[in-house]
Amino acid sequence: MDQSKLELASSYYVNGDYQLAVEAYSELKQEYPANPLIAINLANSNYKLKNYGKAIQNYYQAKKIIPRHKELNNNLSIALNEVELKQPAMLAFNGINLLESLILVLVLNVLFIFRNRMRLPNAVKSILSILFILSILNLCFVTYEQKRKHYGVVTEISTKAYSGDNKAYSELFELLDGQIVELVRPGAAWSQIKYDGSLGWVENESLEII
């Protein structure tokens, strides 16, 4: 990593030049998209500018890589509380992730295989069997959540959802900066989204993919 660019971005943030920090961290993020700490610093800079939607997106992108990071989760909670919007459960992010689910299945699988060789009460063996089955079901659920469900976050002050994929259709509801929505049918210019149980179409320029 280019340490001089990182130090420059950090100096912008420390000195309160948050717009310059956003620009510097955005450039670094393009170069190192898998680095979660850059995403966190970019999120912190966007939060300082009250770009809540962009900050929330950056936090969740980092959360994909380091889901149990204490500072990340604390800052994300602060940003979500700041916007005071009803958000979806997003179990793929807020529960145990795919890797953790897989590790749990593997550990319980070993215990399940050797349960009869271990001197355990029958009740404990039964509990291990149940836990192993539940872990497999959980893995299937988490896989579905993380592979099939996709989310976006509104990054404009407000945007309208329409009944179709252009503004000639009727307006259905308004979405505010920082609102997370489920992407039902992504498109080139418009995407169908689900918000609080309702479907609508939103311009892609108003959304950022999580």
Side-chain angles (χ1 to χ4, degrees):
M1 182 181 296
D2 191 329
Q3 289 298 319
S4 62
K5 288 185 178 181
L6 187 61
E7 290 172 3
L8 180 61
S10 178
S11 69
Y12 287 146
Y13 184 87
V14 170
N15 293 327
D17 297 324
Y18 301 122
Q19 184 57 51
L20 291 176
V22 165
E23 294 171 6
Y25 281 123
S26 294
E27 184 178 337
L28 282 167
K29 190 171 182 296
Q30 288 182 343
E31 296 179 17
Y32 309 99
N35 188 314
L37 298 182
I38 292 176
I40 292 173
N41 289 328
L42 176 57
N44 292 340
S45 302
N46 271 312
Y47 174 80
K48 290 293 187 180
L49 291 172
K50 299 188 184 299
N51 296 332
Y52 296 118
K54 292 180 180 179
I56 289 169
Q57 181 218 18
N58 299 144
Y59 284 132
Y60 272 114
Q61 286 179 331
K63 193 172 172 67
K64 288 180 181 179
I65 305 170
I66 47 173
R68 307 300 169 201
H69 192 279
K70 185 176 180 180
E71 179 186 354
L72 161 61
N73 287 308
N74 181 61
N75 291 353
L76 174 59
S77 295
I78 292 172
L80 291 171
N81 289 333
E82 190 86 12
V83 298
E84 296 183 329
L85 298 172
K86 182 179 180 180
Q87 306 288 17
M90 295 181 69
L91 297 178
F93 288 96
N94 299 322
I96 121 182
N97 67 23
L98 187 57
L99 178 59
E100 292 167 332
S101 298
L102 183 58
I103 292 173
L104 178 62
V105 168
L106 292 175
V107 170
L108 287 173
N109 182 47
V110 171
L111 293 175
F112 179 77
I113 291 172
F114 292 101
R115 71 192 187 284
N116 291 325
R117 300 183 185 180
M118 295 184 289
R119 295 180 179 178
L120 298 173
N122 289 332
V124 175
K125 292 179 182 179
S126 297
I127 291 173
L128 282 175
S129 300
I130 293 171
L131 289 176
F132 177 57
I133 294 171
L134 290 176
S135 70
I136 292 176
L137 293 175
N138 175 74
L139 178 61
C140 294
F141 174 76
V142 171
T143 300
Y144 171 80
E145 282 283 317
Q146 296 193 9
K147 298 298 183 182
R148 298 296 298 275
K149 281 194 175 183
H150 303 282
Y151 296 92
V153 58
V154 176
T155 54
E156 301 287 343
I157 294 175
S158 68
T159 190
K160 302 288 187 181
Y162 295 83
S163 58
D165 59 355
N166 63 67
K167 292 183 179 180
Y169 288 92
S170 58
E171 295 181 5
L172 296 178
F173 47 85
E174 183 181 31
L175 298 168
L176 302 178
D177 182 30
Q179 178 65 60
I180 299 171
V181 295
E182 183 182 342
L183 298 177
V184 177
R185 191 183 303 172
W190 291 72
S191 293
Q192 188 181 38
I193 58 96
K194 181 186 286 187
Y195 163 68
D196 198 21
S198 299
L199 295 175
W201 290 84
V202 175
E203 287 185 280
N204 288 348
E205 63 184 22
S206 301
L207 292 173
E208 292 288 345
I209 305 301
I210 291 177

